[in-house]
Amino acid sequence: MSTIFNTQKTQQLKKVFLILFLFSAFVSSGQVSTNQFQEDLDFIYENLKKSASYQTQKDKHSAVQSKYEELKQENINSEPDIIESYIKFYELIDQLVDNHNSIKSNTKSFSYKDLSDNDFLYSIKSNPEYNFYPKVKINLDSLEASLSTRKINDYEGIYYKESHFKIAIFKNEDNLLQGVVLETTIPSWERGETILYLSPKGNNRFRIFTGTFIDKRLISSIEYFKDGTFKTFKWEKQTSKEDFYNADYPTEMYVINKINDSFTYVKLGTFNSSNDGIKQSKEFYDKISNSLKTENLIVDIRNNRGGGDKNSKKFYQLFKKFNGKIYLLTNYYTSSNAEQFTLKMKSLDNVTVLGDRTSGIITYGRNYPKEFETPSKRFKIHFSDLKDNWSEYLQYENVGIEPDIYLESDSDWVETIVKQYGR
């Protein structure tokens, strides 16, 4: 009985080995192999043509097509790695002026707590889906020593993310700024790993390609450098300085505070237009609509990431009827519908905008929540579908809205206004 069983088992194994051999030969001949980059590029290109920005920026169509054909041709016989692919995909979508168009990697998310499990941590470190960030082959101590003397307004230098990261940012041979981990308390990252690349866009703006701080998901956005800080991800050269750049009352979305007999402070931290967002803003609107009695009003929309007119319009109508002077505070974190709100307010004769230039993510929007997975399953894309009044706002996309008066971050902005413009 065992002889018959062994004979059958041997025959089955021979069949398995034969199938594997034939499959291997088939793949090596190129008949079933696929180029993930090419398939994803085709998918992204076709979906990009459905975006709101492509539909409205007809003068960009030839540039989009040319870049698509260029990328397709130059990679026809090669398979770029995931970071190279990612950067090339953004070369395509950045032919359009639309910062709402986005791509991110399709890896599963996890928490810092998950990393306390040694087995889980080992699986992450050995998994190519998370372990694709290149390690540099240079002496990190020498690199740190050479960069530690860079001035506050140099792009290159040593940067910190709170107490979690210490990185070196330097210009590499491809004319990109490259960020390398020197120290970290996040065990999913290692010393020597590249955590970011920055591609220059002009006017202290960059396209950043980076991994999220915990789960290393590949993401991108527009970065803005000012006073030794890359603002979007808050990489700072100096961590001990007091922060006056961001909005007061950081945990509260809506605030009203009578400062003195001349000034009332109002914070509008969001224009979220979900049902809950509209309900919360309506309650705040009802609270303040008959309370603006002082001759000066400080309206703070720093860090307001936007939302929709269903939320912001009622506040604009309220402030439009205000007879005194209005001082509107903005910064780089003022974006999307909050930038549209800024433009409307800036057109009023009694409004002065102070602070810093806004983010320049103003023209389009994304109404649908669905993301689309690329054929390789390595990425997800999410492109714009809202284009109301796009022609009015396009000149500010990637540029932002300049304040009437810039404020320095070494003093409290609200106090500065009260002292300078109060009686």
Side-chain angles (χ1 to χ4, degrees):
M1 187 70 175
S2 64
T3 302
I4 296 173
F5 176 79
N6 288 335
T7 301
Q8 291 174 336
K9 186 174 182 180
T10 300
Q11 290 173 341
Q12 289 173 345
L13 287 172
K14 285 181 178 180
K15 288 181 180 179
V16 170
F17 286 133
L18 178 61
I19 291 170
L20 289 173
F21 173 79
L22 291 173
F23 179 77
S24 175
F26 195 51
V27 170
S28 64
S29 70
Q31 295 180 56
V32 297
S33 63
T34 59
N35 187 313
Q36 290 180 313
F37 175 83
Q38 296 283 354
E39 289 188 345
D40 284 354
L41 179 66
D42 291 343
F43 180 82
I44 291 168
Y45 175 63
E46 292 303 322
N47 278 276
L48 186 63
K49 291 192 291 184
K50 300 173 186 176
S51 69
S53 45
Y54 186 88
Q55 293 166 20
T56 53
Q57 296 176 37
K58 299 186 185 303
D59 60 322
K60 303 289 186 182
H61 287 189
S62 60
V64 172
Q65 183 176 350
S66 295
K67 177 56 68 172
Y68 163 70
E69 292 173 352
E70 175 191 322
L71 292 172
K72 194 170 182 67
Q73 186 61 38
E74 72 180 20
N75 297 282
I76 197 166
N77 295 316
S78 63
E79 181 71 79
D81 65 32
I82 187 168
I83 293 182
E84 291 174 321
S85 297
Y86 193 56
I87 293 174
K88 290 176 186 291
F89 294 150
Y90 265 101
E91 288 180 18
L92 176 63
I93 73 170
D94 279 347
Q95 297 302 310
L96 298 172
V97 185
D98 182 359
N99 287 322
H100 276 90
N101 288 337
S102 68
I103 309 173
K104 64 182 180 183
S105 65
N106 194 26
T107 51
K108 292 182 179 179
S109 183
F110 55 83
S111 69
Y112 182 78
K113 184 178 180 181
D114 292 326
L115 295 173
S116 61
D117 184 321
N118 289 332
D119 291 336
F120 180 85
L121 179 59
Y122 176 79
S123 71
I124 293 301
K125 287 183 174 294
S126 58
N127 189 337
E129 289 190 352
Y130 299 95
N131 195 28
F132 56 80
Y133 295 90
K135 282 192 172 182
V136 296
K137 298 178 181 179
I138 54 181
N139 186 298
L140 295 179
D141 292 332
S142 298
L143 178 65
E144 180 176 354
S146 66
L147 293 175
S148 61
T149 59
R150 296 302 171 96
K151 295 180 179 179
I152 192 73
N153 286 320
D154 287 342
Y155 299 139
E156 293 184 304
I158 305 301
Y159 290 81
Y160 301 85
K161 176 64 180 177
E162 299 171 350
S163 61
H164 304 306
F165 285 96
K166 179 182 182 181
I167 68 171
I169 293 182
F170 61 95
K171 184 178 288 188
N172 66 20
E173 58 187 13
D174 295 321
N175 203 35
L176 298 175
L177 290 171
Q178 184 172 348
V180 174
V181 176
L182 297 176
E183 298 175 13
T184 181
T185 61
I186 310 297
S188 48
W189 291 94
E190 292 183 1
R191 176 175 165 86
E193 274 189 304
T194 297
I195 193 172
L196 63 83
Y197 294 97
L198 292 155
S199 176
K201 306 290 279 186
N203 297 317
N204 288 325
R205 293 184 182 233
F206 299 81
R207 164 68 68 184
I208 185 172
F209 307 94
T210 187
T212 48
F213 297 131
I214 303 296
D215 59 25
K216 306 181 79 170
R217 178 173 295 189
L218 196 57
I219 57 174
S220 179
S221 68
I222 298 299
E223 260 292 3
Y224 172 57
F225 179 84
K226 184 173 183 179
D227 298 332
T229 299
F230 286 100
K231 293 293 187 181
T232 300
F233 286 89
K234 298 182 181 178
W235 290 108
E236 299 177 302
K237 284 188 175 179
Q238 298 177 347
T239 59
S240 60
K241 65 181 186 302
E242 195 167 359
D243 181 15
F244 295 112
Y245 189 86
N246 294 291
D248 294 335
Y249 309 98
T251 62
E252 299 171 74
M253 288 296 101
Y254 298 101
V255 175
I256 182 169
N257 177 30
K258 185 178 178 182
I259 298 173
N260 56 35
D261 291 339
S262 298
F263 282 90
T264 298
Y265 170 90
V266 174
K267 177 187 175 182
L268 303 177
T270 181
F271 292 137
N272 184 318
S273 291
S274 66
N275 290 336
D276 287 342
I278 294 296
K279 180 182 177 182
Q280 186 182 8
S281 71
K282 179 63 166 57
E283 290 173 353
F284 183 71
Y285 173 86
D286 291 341
K287 176 181 178 181
I288 72 169
S289 58
N290 293 312
S291 302
L292 307 179
K293 307 295 186 182
T294 55
E295 59 184 307
N296 298 297
L297 192 62
I298 298 173
V299 178
D300 193 348
I301 58 169
R302 288 176 291 173
N303 301 60
N304 185 323
R305 297 292 191 175
D309 282 345
K310 287 191 294 185
N311 184 321
S312 62
K313 185 177 180 179
K314 59 182 175 289
F315 292 110
Y316 169 67
Q317 295 295 343
L318 175 64
F319 299 143
K320 190 177 179 181
K321 293 183 277 188
F322 184 76
N323 292 322
K325 292 184 178 180
I326 299 177
Y327 302 94
L328 184 70
L329 284 174
T330 64
N331 64 5
Y332 177 70
Y333 306 118
T334 304
S335 63
S336 196
N337 185 256
E339 293 181 273
Q340 297 172 5
F341 178 83
T342 300
L343 278 179
K344 293 175 184 176
M345 291 288 289
K346 195 171 184 179
S347 69
L348 302 178
D349 292 337
N350 62 333
V351 173
T352 301
V353 180
L354 305 95
D356 196 12
R357 188 184 290 269
T358 63
S359 67
I361 311 176
I362 179 176
T363 312
Y364 300 98
R366 298 188 302 207
N367 188 44
Y368 61 93
K370 187 175 176 65
E371 299 173 323
F372 296 97
E373 191 176 73
T374 64
S376 72
K377 302 187 183 302
R378 297 189 300 174
F379 302 99
K380 284 184 176 180
I381 65 173
H382 198 176
F383 295 157
S384 61
D385 68 328
L386 296 177
K387 53 187 178 182
D388 295 344
N389 302 313
W390 69 273
S391 60
E392 177 185 353
Y393 301 129
L394 187 58
Q395 62 181 306
Y396 302 102
E397 190 77 9
N398 271 342
V399 177
I401 300 163
E402 187 174 19
D404 299 308
I405 299 171
Y406 281 93
L407 296 177
E408 298 297 326
S409 298
D410 56 359
S411 60
D412 186 287
W413 289 6
V414 173
E415 290 182 3
T416 297
I417 292 172
V418 172
K419 290 178 181 177
Q420 187 163 344
Y421 301 101
R423 292 182 178 179

